[in-house]
Amino acid sequence: MTRFGYFLASEQWGPRDLIWQAQRAQEAGFEALWLSDHFHPWTDQQGESPFVWSVLAVLARETDLPIVTAVTCPTVRTHPVIIAHAAATTAVLADGRFVLGVGSGEALNEQVTGAPWPLARQRLEMLAEAVDVMRQLWTGEVITHHGRYYTVEHARLYTLPDHPPPVFVSGLGPRAAEVAGQIGDGYICTTPDPDLVRIFDDSGGAGKPKQGGVKVCYGSDEQEAAKTVHRLWPNEGVPGELAQVLRTPEHIMQAASLVTVEQLASAVTCGPDPARHADALQEYVNAGFDDVFVNQIGPNQDDFFAFYEHEVLAELRTPSPR
């Protein structure tokens, strides 16, 4: 049976709010957590971006749910040795409930150190090498690595979980889905695209977990909810690879200024109709995803959790009549 989780948006909420949302999500019947990992928010209106590893440590203590980073980039801003260290400690704190979700990143977060931003194919090569480095370190052995992109000199992790954290790999396009199938223990995607699922499966991912994420905006008035999405997450309408290559929140906001309320209303499920919300999640189930994570855009969080607990999740978990 499909597992439904909550997607914690660190771009919009500070650490205390994220912890409260995680606890409320558990009470409402969500079964797992995604937590985004950003240095910058997408836009100034979102307005937050706490350090993910601090939040994860508290989530591990304050909830009983599985936790996935969606997603961490272990290639440019942060060396994979450091991510391996952080992930190992988090996995110990979470007692086997932690999954390291990784991806090839966005310039928005990764160029803050002034490092060059490679083209997509090279970023995927860097990701594959970074995952290999982390897995070597999780053996507990002394590691020396001289690769194409990374150097590791006599490094050993002493604090390790009983089992290495699984690595789920994000793939939003065909080549990334192929790499995810080759190197990932699972798949992460934010579009309900069965073709990408098929590519992941055909590239070595068959039988591995697949997780999808979707944004919605619950509210009593559909049009007002659409305006909330336009105010807070207009970047949902920024097309193609722009989100990966634009360097600053200002650039994202400039691109998003071309996005209309009407475009977002057709792309994001808005309003109070439980059937529409259930259909948005069911689309991922139909595409082949095992876990579906939903994020509520905007401030109406407590009402959202009550709505999903009583009207959406109950409907999705009710077997269809034969």
Side-chain angles (χ1 to χ4, degrees):
M1 181 176 288
T2 305
R3 185 173 62 169
F4 297 99
Y6 189 68
F7 186 175
L8 297 162
S10 61
E11 303 94 317
Q12 187 186 338
W13 300 100
R16 291 184 179 88
D17 288 318
L18 292 170
I19 300 307
W20 176 85
Q21 288 174 18
Q23 293 169 327
R24 185 67 184 87
Q26 182 168 316
E27 292 170 358
F30 286 97
E31 301 165 284
L33 299 169
W34 265 12
L35 176 64
S36 58
D37 181 0
H38 271 241
F39 187 90
H40 287 137
W42 295 103
T43 71
D44 288 353
Q45 283 287 344
Q46 291 165 7
E48 292 284 352
S49 204
F51 187 54
V52 69
W53 299 104
S54 302
V55 178
L56 284 166
V58 182
L59 286 177
R61 184 178 182 89
E62 297 297 325
T63 76
D64 299 319
L65 299 179
I67 309 164
V68 187
T69 54
V71 293
T72 293
C73 180
T75 61
V76 176
R77 170 172 47 114
T78 312
H79 194 286
V81 164
I82 306 304
I83 299 297
H85 192 187
T89 299
T90 302
V92 171
L93 289 170
D95 195 23
R97 293 180 286 119
F98 176 67
V99 171
L100 178 63
V102 299
S104 59
E106 301 95 11
L108 176 76
N109 300 305
E110 302 306 314
Q111 285 202 293
V112 293
T113 64
W117 188 239
L119 295 176
R121 180 169 291 274
Q122 183 176 335
R123 299 201 306 268
L124 290 170
E125 292 174 353
M126 295 171 72
L127 180 62
E129 185 176 335
V131 169
D132 177 59
V133 166
M134 292 189 294
R135 285 176 170 149
Q136 290 184 59
L137 286 162
W138 292 331
T139 66
E141 302 295 327
V142 174
I143 301 302
T144 296
H145 172 92
H146 296 276
R148 181 174 182 181
Y149 299 109
Y150 302 107
T151 297
V152 182
E153 292 288 357
H154 199 88
R156 179 183 174 189
L157 294 180
Y158 283 81
T159 299
L160 290 165
D162 293 336
H163 303 284
V167 179
F168 287 15
V169 180
S170 172
L172 305 184
R175 176 56 185 155
E178 182 180 355
V179 171
Q182 292 167 351
I183 70 171
D185 300 311
Y187 181 48
I188 287 175
C189 192
T190 53
T191 57
D193 189 336
D195 290 333
L196 293 177
V197 171
R198 177 185 52 78
I199 291 170
F200 173 77
D201 283 344
D202 291 347
S203 303
K208 297 177 182 177
K210 303 168 189 68
Q211 297 187 333
V214 59
K215 290 189 176 296
V216 304
C217 187
Y218 167 73
S220 59
D221 182 276
E222 182 176 341
Q223 185 63 21
E224 287 302 313
K227 290 178 181 178
T228 297
V229 176
H230 188 257
R231 176 172 59 88
L232 289 173
W233 288 84
N235 52 292
E236 284 293 297
V238 174
E241 202 181 343
L242 283 176
Q244 281 72 56
V245 300
L246 295 176
R247 293 187 60 247
T248 67
E250 290 81 3
H251 291 159
I252 297 288
M253 289 186 287
Q254 289 164 13
S257 69
L258 302 174
V259 178
T260 67
V261 174
E262 291 73 23
Q263 288 172 320
L264 290 169
S266 64
V268 178
T269 299
C270 296
D273 184 350
R276 289 191 59 200
H277 284 261
D279 287 346
L281 276 63
Q282 187 65 43
E283 193 173 358
Y284 283 82
V285 178
N286 295 344
F289 289 89
D290 304 293
D291 302 330
V292 185
F293 294 77
V294 58
N295 172 251
Q296 161 72 358
I297 293 173
N300 202 10
Q301 294 290 317
D302 206 34
D303 289 343
F304 162 84
F305 284 118
F307 171 66
Y308 261 68
E309 179 180 6
H310 299 295
E311 300 192 52
V312 180
L313 295 181
E315 173 68 22
L316 286 164
R317 289 170 178 150
T318 300
S320 301
R322 293 183 180 273

